[in-house]
Amino acid sequence: MAIIGNDIEHASTLLKAGEVIGIPTETVYGLAGNAYNVSAVTKIFKIKKRPDFDPLIVHTDSLAKIYKFVKDIPESAFQLAKYFWPGPLTLLLAKKSVIPDLVTSGLPNVAVRVPNHAVTLALLEKLDFPLAAPSANPFGYVSPTSARHVNDQLGGKIPYILNGGVSKVGIESTIIGYEGSQLVVYRLGGLTLEKIEHVVGKVTIKPHSSSDPTTPGSLKSHYSPAKKVVIGNIEELMDVYKDRPFALLSFQKEYDHIPSENQLILSKSGDLDEAAQNLFSSLRTLDNLPVEYILTEYVPDRDLGLAINDRLKRAAAK
Ligand code: TXA
Ligand code: MG
């Protein structure tokens, strides 16, 4: 198992030596390595069992550092960066050659983000290279929102996990790029469309293009627990699945006749931020129960609800 600790100096020493470690962010935990170092990036793909056609997000702590590895930041991207970094926003920008092609799966753009987490920002400040970091889960599984989640699945393969507590947003960053001069959202995430459109006006949304190789971020079956996830009206689903072992993941409601250990609630008060924070850890907990099915429901389709529903849909798409 990996050592879980708070030693930023140690984390930085490991990264400088080309090692790969777990790092906290406000969205989900990342599996981080030196983005300029092909051998470190190769380790990331291996540890995650990630196909090399699925590119990595590069993390840094300031706009100034980003100019070292991207060619140009268009005005609307600059506005978004100014408003929302550090934060759950990833921008696709034309890369300089210092970023190895392996990081971007050969694509001309690199995905860049400044995460909003004090521990990881302090770490990034100490480094003269950015960190390539996908979510720290085996490819296709639910993303980790705590150091323990990372340790449970990848602890045997990495030396260290920097502990930053539970991820506050709980759902991955929103990914935005360009088609010509038009801004396009390729992955719904922790930064809401409402907030984005407030700054740059209407954007195009293309989150489900699972077959488009230029946006491999949108593989349809993803974020999946091992158990079968079924989405619908929970009352009706309980009737259909009454003779089979199931657990419930409900948005707000508790069901009296179901054992309490077999049901989790995303937010009793109906708060979508709280629901997002609880989503992945709830799926993990239910996935570890001796049941076959996880019965769940969509949340309201607004604010973070859009990203939550997107992840539920992908978790159910097996
Ligand atoms: O919140 C997050 O974004 C977290 C934390 C750790 O920062 N990271 C994360 O990384 O979710 P990952 O690798 O699990 O998802 C990143 C997605 C991938 O599915 C990838 O296909 C897409 O971003 N992506 C990365 N670089 C890209 C590029 N150059 N063009 C298109 N899509 C890209
Ligand atoms: Mg991921």
Side-chain angles (χ1 to χ4, degrees):
M1 288 288 107
I3 294 166
I4 299 179
N6 302 306
D7 191 344
I8 293 172
E9 196 57 52
H10 182 54
S12 120
T13 303
L14 289 169
L15 290 165
K16 284 174 187 165
E19 297 287 344
V20 169
I21 65 168
I23 58 163
T25 87
E26 82 283 26
T27 57
V28 301
Y29 273 67
L31 183 65
N34 179 350
Y36 294 160
N37 179 332
V38 171
S39 129
V41 175
T42 302
K43 281 186 202 165
I44 295 175
F45 280 96
K46 277 218 181 101
I47 292 168
K48 243 190 102 88
K49 297 205 171 79
R50 180 174 179 117
D52 60 10
F53 59 77
D54 196 4
L56 309 180
I57 296 179
V58 169
H59 301 69
T60 189
D61 60 303
S62 74
L63 255 173
K65 284 189 184 171
I66 283 175
Y67 285 102
K68 294 183 182 168
F69 59 89
V70 310
K71 286 186 181 153
D72 176 43
I73 305 184
E75 177 58 24
S76 50
F78 186 80
Q79 289 302 325
L80 288 171
K82 220 177 67 185
Y83 270 86
F84 300 118
W85 278 345
L89 164 73
T90 294
L91 294 170
L92 299 177
L93 301 169
K95 81 174 186 75
K96 287 185 178 164
S97 59
V98 64
I99 297 285
D101 288 336
L102 182 61
V103 171
T104 63
S105 304
L107 295 170
N109 291 329
V110 60
V112 189
R113 166 167 126 77
V114 178
N116 187 16
H117 193 295
V119 170
T120 289
L121 285 172
L123 171 66
L124 287 164
E125 255 172 53
K126 286 182 172 287
L127 303 174
D128 58 6
F129 50 83
L131 291 176
S135 53
N137 50 281
F139 181 69
Y141 195 68
V142 181
S143 294
T145 54
S146 72
R148 188 176 57 77
H149 292 164
V150 180
N151 205 27
D152 284 348
Q153 290 182 303
L154 301 180
K157 300 178 175 176
I158 52 178
Y160 197 66
I161 302 167
L162 194 53
N163 195 355
V166 170
S167 297
K168 290 217 165 69
V169 174
I171 208 154
E172 301 86 349
S173 60
T174 302
I175 301 180
I176 302 189
Y178 285 92
E179 280 177 13
S181 61
Q182 177 62 32
L183 282 169
V184 179
V185 170
Y186 292 109
R187 179 173 72 181
L188 296 163
L191 181 65
T192 65
L193 285 178
E194 288 86 345
K195 286 186 181 156
I196 291 165
E197 292 190 334
H198 189 73
V199 173
V200 291
K202 268 272 170 246
V203 293
T204 307
I205 304 157
K206 293 196 174 172
H208 284 294
S209 48
S210 54
S211 58
D212 182 349
T214 64
T215 57
S218 350
L219 291 169
K220 198 163 184 185
S221 170
H222 221 99
Y223 313 102
S224 305
K227 304 294 161 65
K228 178 111 186 70
V229 175
V230 188
I231 313 172
N233 176 306
I234 287 185
E235 300 274 0
E236 286 170 23
L237 289 176
M238 283 195 293
D239 196 39
V240 175
Y241 287 84
K242 63 178 180 299
D243 297 326
R244 293 181 251 181
F246 65 77
L248 299 182
L249 179 61
S250 94
F251 177 38
Q252 285 189 261
K253 210 175 139 185
E254 195 169 342
Y255 294 86
D256 291 340
H257 53 292
I258 303 295
S260 60
E261 65 273 19
N262 279 5
Q263 55 178 321
L264 289 176
I265 299 170
L266 289 175
S267 169
K268 279 192 176 148
S269 66
D271 179 326
L272 290 166
D273 292 349
E274 184 183 27
Q277 195 188 34
N278 288 329
L279 178 68
F280 289 150
S281 59
S282 302
L283 283 172
R284 276 177 186 256
T285 304
L286 298 178
D287 206 24
N288 289 326
L289 293 177
V291 297
E292 278 174 40
Y293 296 90
I294 298 171
L295 309 183
T296 187
E297 62 188 342
Y298 286 122
V299 303
D301 235 345
R302 60 174 160 77
D303 302 310
L304 284 188
L306 294 174
I308 294 171
N309 289 339
D310 172 82
R311 300 306 186 272
L312 286 173
K313 202 178 292 167
R314 287 168 203 266
K318 265 248 165 116

